[in-house]
Amino acid sequence: MIDLHAIDLLPAIDLRRGQVVRLTQGDDDRATVYGDDPAAVLRSFAAAGVARAHLVDLDAALGDPPQSGLLAALAEIPEGERPAIQVGGGLRDEASIAAVLAAGAERAVVGSLVAREPDRFAELARQFAGRLVPALDVRHGEVRTAGWTAGSGWEPEALAARLAGLPCPAVLVTDVERDGTMEGPNVELARRVGAASGLPALVSGGVSALADLEASAAVAEVGGVIVGRALYEGRFTLEQALAACRGEAS
């Protein structure tokens, strides 16, 4: 019997021009719109028992002005009516990181800065102890930056090793080639990054079935899974996903 452990389920809300969307492999030209009321989606997560949600400002990630007003409005929803939120997308300097945390986000997800200036990220991780989640977005074995549009020259395990010992709650690992495809997550990549960094890995990209959540819960280095398209398209319910992430095999 597979030994399962409890992991976090983080349903995703990707925001593009105020709408809830999902991109396929990070391609803005391959966007699917799932709604125009992100506040209602966030409230529905809380009603189902979700403890933490993953919000991404795709406008900021892709170089457009950040959706600061929308993110602030979502963070202002009373805590009993929404999950805790971690926010990513375009957080490439201290000012932008501080702004989302001050606006009410529990955590800030930082990607490009980790690869471009790992020493500077380490400084900020200590400054905002327990609140920064480094994000490694990987395509063809290389960490990507700038909304996944540029290479960094870093192999994921080598960059993950630079995170060892930092006071970060987790490391987010996205297999860009699987993101939005529902072809199954790259749990092995997450395992390697978690092992190299010593941080719980958050698996992102490709989740399509409850079996993917159970496979993640069977890996000691995995601390959570981010799920988007599979939930919005009804592959399983939030309640089923939460049960799988608690280690309750289906």
Side-chain angles (χ1 to χ4, degrees):
M1 181 175 178
I2 298 175
D3 184 18
L4 304 178
H5 70 287
I7 60 176
D8 292 335
L9 174 76
L10 293 89
I13 300 180
D14 289 0
L15 300 169
R16 184 69 167 135
R17 303 184 182 98
Q19 295 182 308
V20 180
V21 309
R22 289 297 287 171
L23 307 185
T24 299
Q25 297 179 332
D27 187 346
D28 196 31
D29 293 327
R30 301 166 69 191
T32 302
V33 177
Y34 289 107
D36 57 7
D37 191 349
V41 175
L42 201 59
R43 285 189 167 96
S44 73
F45 291 166
V50 170
R52 182 177 294 111
H54 177 72
L55 274 63
V56 179
D57 184 349
L58 288 175
D59 287 19
L62 296 171
D64 293 335
Q67 301 171 85
S68 303
L70 174 57
L71 292 171
L74 294 175
E76 288 171 1
I77 298 172
E79 290 188 8
E81 300 176 20
R82 64 160 175 84
I85 56 176
Q86 64 178 38
V87 176
L91 304 182
R92 300 182 179 121
D93 54 39
E94 181 179 351
S96 59
I97 292 167
V100 298
L101 294 176
E106 177 198 32
R107 300 173 176 176
V109 179
V110 182
S112 294
L113 184 66
V114 178
R116 289 176 174 168
E117 300 180 65
D119 290 338
R120 177 58 177 150
F121 174 79
E123 293 174 358
L124 292 172
R126 296 184 183 99
Q127 178 180 337
F128 299 103
R131 302 189 72 186
L132 298 194
V133 176
L136 275 59
D137 304 320
V138 181
R139 172 179 274 157
H140 302 312
E142 180 187 23
V143 176
R144 307 291 292 181
T145 63
W148 305 351
T149 62
S152 70
W154 281 101
E155 293 183 351
E157 294 89 345
L159 185 55
R162 295 289 298 270
L163 304 173
L166 294 180
C168 298
V171 55
L172 196 160
V173 188
T174 301
D175 185 332
V176 175
E177 295 168 79
R178 302 192 191 199
D179 190 71
T181 67
M182 295 199 297
E183 294 178 353
N186 193 337
V187 179
E188 172 58 19
L189 172 64
R191 185 198 66 76
R192 296 197 307 268
V193 168
S197 66
L199 300 171
L202 303 181
V203 176
S204 177
V207 171
S208 66
L210 293 175
D212 296 329
L213 304 179
E214 293 164 2
S216 299
V219 177
E221 292 83 1
V222 171
V225 181
I226 293 172
V227 184
R229 187 181 295 269
L231 281 172
Y232 292 112
E233 297 190 356
R235 296 295 183 95
F236 44 75
T237 66
L238 274 171
E239 291 78 8
Q240 289 173 322
L242 285 165
C245 286
R246 287 193 296 266
E248 301 169 8
S250 59

